[in-house]
Amino acid sequence: MVLCPARPPRGTRTSNGATGATRSSAFMFPYFIMLIFCGIPLFFMELSFGQFASQGCLGVWRISPMFKGVGYGMMVVSTYIGIYYNVVICIAFYYFFSSMTHVLPWAYCNNPWNTPDCAGVLDASNLTNGSRPATLPSNLSHLLNHSLQRTSPSEEYWRLYVLKLSDDIGNFGEVRLPLLGCLGVSWVVVFLCLIRGVKSSGKVVYFTATFPYVVLTILFVRGVTLDGAFTGIMYYLTPQWDKILEAKVWGDAASQIFYSLGCAWGGLITMASYNKFHNNCYRDSIIISITNCATSVYAGFVIFSILGFMANHLGVDVSRVADHGPGLAFVAYPEALTLLPISPLWSLLFFFMLILLGLGTQFCLLETLVTAIVDEVGNEWILQKKTYVTLGVAVAGFLLGVPLTSQAGIYWLLLMDNYAASFSLVIISCIMCVSIMYIYGHRNYFQDIQMMLGFPPPLFFQICWRFVSPAIIFFILIFTVIQYRPITYNHYQYPGWAVAIGFLMALSSVICIPLYALFQLCRTDGDTLLQRLKNATKPSRDWGPALLEHQTGRYAPTIPPSPEDGLEVQPLHPDKAQLPMVGSNGSRLQDSRI
């Protein structure tokens, strides 16, 4: 299912475009099930978690210091995603700049980089030896059904010109300077938008969160008025029930939910920490999750209406023109845009939308890392020099992203996308859920939410947090491991050493949890191992609401502090005290994973 065209969609990643497209219709049902029983409940949990403590993904683990490794795991995942996600944005920038022309460079096969196998949908002479495609649909279909006899100009532009793709993941070749320049532009834009923290990014997000809806609507109106659009939309909506029983489909749906909503990244906790203490995050979680899901479905209509038109133009089935992974955003859809009148205009709008969607995500990722670092150090100097921390993280992200702009960069990008941010997300989220519900105690957490919101979490969420969500995540993880298949990119099989690196990246975030637990266990006081375990898992003394005025009930100070004592607890970030309503209407949170 096409959920977010700004990134390689999970659940459509297969070895061939046809299979990836047919899976999209089978993806809808598991996606909604995972949204209801995992996505929304865990989204609400992370919002309430960060808002109650007014801390980032590390500081919140005062609730149970032994599980602070979960926060470090979230930071590792956010680091991986932040590195390769900005590379996706830089490619969108490259296509955006390339669209500023009268004729799109991937429309025809008369360019220096094209091969004799190139056959463009607009170049009738290349397809049918001078005949119009409409008059010989059977010949055209025959050519399209044999990928070795036909490569589209958009595919050759992507593979031979933009990427100059090497033949192996170990063959880095040269750094593509145009992509490197666009990567620099991407990081500069992200840094400038975050130069004043949430004060500046909160204003920028009003545009990046709303304008994509304008572009989607323009593309939707244009798409549904084209011949063949209805066929593409029906293909998108028709379920493939024979694939519902595949564990891979459910695993992909779970990964997409976590990826789409931002669960287990640490971003939700971080952004919620800037909310007012009594902000109704329950309402926000429902609105944002449903809006996010609706936007994903809406984007699917936009994509498949255009693909249906392209299939109708070529006289083939929709499954033959749909693609998967980066091929959807940078090959199939750009090729479909060449069939539209004034195609450069539609291309500019499409890639501008991808850039805005990607920047909204990148803001959240960078702010998560910066907030965690500042919260962890916590001294006066780093509080005043937060801009330099942001700059340092941005420069490090740029340097680590340089290898991904090489000729083998797309191989590494997909390796990171498949392993660094896939099943590790569900493991981290499952452990977070178990530690809060069973270590800290579900009754304690329900009382915290009631103190913060004025009402306990609804019964549905209580049941999901305690039983349903962890059970679903656990079984999906088990069946995904059982049905595991090594990663491929088109017809390229990743070597064993590359797959091993992928698993190491995935484990690098999960391993933080047991390592830090052992570290905390060793440094905790106690005469016996059991006593150390109890002391390491119980909340620290400074766990609770950040502001003294909210510390009521069991968090009320036993001895009321006087102003002379200087004991009033303040948020670690000045922004959190000065921006009480940031994100309270969901504007920034919604954009973080739109």
Side-chain angles (χ1 to χ4, degrees):
M1 175 180 176
V2 182
L3 295 175
C4 181
R7 62 171 301 278
R10 298 188 184 278
T12 58
R13 187 179 294 116
T14 54
S15 58
N16 59 78
T19 306
T22 54
R23 181 168 300 218
S24 64
S25 52
F27 195 64
M28 189 87 76
F29 179 74
Y31 176 75
F32 283 113
I33 295 297
M34 296 304 302
L35 174 71
I36 294 172
F37 292 102
C38 283
I40 297 178
L42 295 177
F43 192 90
F44 179 33
M45 171 176 281
E46 292 200 31
L47 290 193
S48 59
F49 196 19
Q51 180 175 304
F52 182 81
S54 296
Q55 298 291 321
C57 63
L58 294 180
V60 291
W61 289 102
R62 297 170 183 174
I63 191 174
S64 184
M66 185 175 174
F67 289 92
K68 191 176 182 179
V70 174
Y72 283 109
M74 291 177 174
M75 285 189 64
V76 172
V77 170
S78 293
T79 301
Y80 284 134
I81 299 175
I83 292 170
Y84 78 77
Y85 202 96
N86 229 19
V87 177
V88 177
I89 299 175
C90 92
I91 298 175
F93 265 115
Y94 184 86
Y95 271 78
F96 177 77
F97 295 140
S98 299
S99 301
M100 297 178 179
T101 179
H102 294 294
V103 179
L104 293 175
W106 56 85
Y108 295 97
C109 293
N110 56 355
N111 301 289
W113 59 83
N114 290 127
T115 66
D117 293 327
C118 180
V121 294
L122 295 179
D123 196 340
S125 61
N126 286 341
L127 285 173
T128 58
N129 296 324
S131 302
R132 297 298 298 171
T135 60
L136 292 173
S138 59
N139 292 344
L140 181 57
S141 300
H142 177 75
L143 290 175
L144 289 175
N145 287 334
H146 295 79
S147 59
L148 293 178
Q149 299 179 12
R150 190 257 182 186
T151 56
S152 66
S154 62
E155 181 182 352
E156 293 197 348
Y157 179 77
W158 162 254
R159 181 167 48 87
L160 302 178
Y161 185 75
V162 177
L163 301 179
K164 289 190 176 179
L165 189 65
S166 65
D167 58 352
D168 186 72
I169 188 174
N171 182 14
F172 283 90
E174 65 180 14
V175 172
R176 299 287 293 119
L177 293 181
L179 294 182
L180 183 64
C182 291
L183 182 63
V185 171
S186 300
W187 277 111
V188 169
V189 171
V190 171
F191 170 70
L192 292 178
C193 292
L194 288 175
I195 194 168
R196 296 183 62 200
V198 294
K199 295 178 182 178
S200 55
S201 65
K203 297 176 182 178
V204 174
V205 160
Y206 280 113
F207 177 72
T208 61
T210 55
F211 188 75
Y213 287 100
V214 178
V215 178
L216 275 176
T217 302
I218 293 173
L219 293 174
F220 175 75
V221 173
R222 185 67 185 98
V224 296
T225 58
L226 298 171
D227 294 335
F230 181 76
T231 303
I233 292 174
M234 289 305 298
Y235 178 85
Y236 170 59
L237 296 177
T238 303
Q240 298 284 328
W241 296 111
D242 58 318
K243 297 184 180 295
I244 295 296
L245 298 179
E246 293 183 10
K248 177 102 170 72
V249 175
W250 289 87
D252 289 338
S255 296
Q256 181 63 50
I257 284 294
F258 280 86
Y259 206 89
S260 181
L261 294 178
C263 299
W265 289 29
L268 296 178
I269 295 175
T270 300
M271 294 302 176
S273 69
Y274 292 94
N275 282 346
K276 263 188 173 182
F277 182 75
H278 294 296
N279 171 64
N280 191 347
C281 59
Y282 167 70
R283 175 202 59 199
D284 291 347
S285 64
I286 299 297
I287 294 176
I288 297 168
S289 301
I290 294 178
T291 302
N292 176 82
C293 177
T295 303
S296 300
V297 175
Y298 186 38
F301 281 96
V302 175
I303 297 294
F304 277 88
S305 62
I306 299 292
L307 294 181
F309 164 68
M310 183 178 179
N312 180 74
H313 180 86
L314 298 175
V316 298
D317 189 75
V318 179
S319 63
R320 309 309 285 170
V321 298
D323 207 334
H324 66 287
L328 175 64
F330 300 115
V331 177
Y333 203 78
E335 183 179 19
L337 293 176
T338 61
L339 302 175
L340 300 177
I342 324 178
S343 55
L345 172 63
W346 304 110
S347 182
L348 283 170
L349 286 174
F350 176 71
F351 288 109
F352 186 53
M353 178 187 68
L354 296 194
I355 292 170
L356 294 181
L357 291 171
L359 288 176
T361 297
Q362 200 66 16
F363 294 159
C364 183
L365 290 169
L366 192 63
E367 185 64 30
T368 298
L369 297 174
V370 171
T371 299
I373 294 171
V374 172
D375 278 358
E376 190 66 8
V377 177
N379 58 40
E380 189 66 25
W381 181 87
I382 201 168
L383 289 172
Q384 295 177 353
K385 304 297 183 180
K386 184 181 176 182
T387 300
Y388 293 102
V389 178
T390 305
L391 177 61
V393 173
V395 171
F398 169 76
L399 294 177
L400 292 172
V402 170
L404 301 185
T405 61
S406 67
Q407 291 179 259
I410 191 64
Y411 297 124
W412 290 98
L413 189 151
L414 292 177
L415 186 72
M416 296 176 70
D417 184 46
N418 274 266
Y419 291 95
S422 56
F423 67 87
S424 56
L425 289 175
V426 297
I427 294 176
I428 290 173
S429 190
C430 185
I431 294 177
M432 180 188 69
C433 196
V434 171
S435 62
I436 295 177
M437 289 294 103
Y438 295 98
I439 305 300
Y440 177 64
H442 64 277
R443 291 187 178 86
N444 291 332
Y445 195 69
F446 297 161
Q447 291 173 6
D448 291 343
I449 292 180
Q450 184 166 7
M451 184 179 74
M452 180 174 63
L453 302 182
F455 57 89
L459 181 61
F460 172 77
F461 288 91
Q462 295 183 22
I463 295 175
C464 285
W465 288 346
R466 294 182 62 192
F467 308 110
V468 179
S469 298
I472 291 178
I473 292 173
F474 177 76
F475 283 111
I476 286 179
L477 183 63
I478 295 299
F479 285 111
T480 301
V481 171
I482 294 175
Q483 297 189 3
Y484 167 77
R485 286 179 294 180
I487 178 178
T488 61
Y489 176 53
N490 291 334
H491 300 290
Y492 175 75
Q493 292 280 346
Y494 279 68
W497 63 266
V499 175
I501 292 178
F503 276 111
L504 289 177
M505 286 192 293
L507 292 175
S508 63
S509 58
V510 178
I511 200 67
C512 293
I513 302 174
L515 287 181
Y516 190 87
L518 291 174
F519 169 74
Q520 185 68 22
L521 201 61
C522 293
R523 65 193 293 241
T524 302
D525 296 331
D527 297 330
T528 63
L529 179 61
L530 182 60
Q531 187 62 42
R532 285 172 175 261
L533 189 61
K534 290 181 179 179
N535 292 335
T537 54
K538 70 181 182 181
S540 61
R541 293 181 178 180
D542 53 354
W543 161 251
L547 292 178
L548 184 62
E549 61 188 89
H550 300 139
Q551 296 175 7
T552 59
R554 57 198 173 97
Y555 296 103
T558 54
I559 302 177
S562 62
E564 291 79 10
D565 295 331
L567 297 178
E568 183 174 356
V569 180
Q570 296 293 339
L572 290 181
H573 277 293
D575 292 342
K576 294 174 182 176
Q578 298 171 8
L579 294 176
M581 284 301 291
V582 172
S584 61
N585 61 358
S587 60
R588 229 165 81 253
L589 290 174
Q590 176 181 342
D591 183 69
S592 67
R593 297 273 14 116
I594 195 67

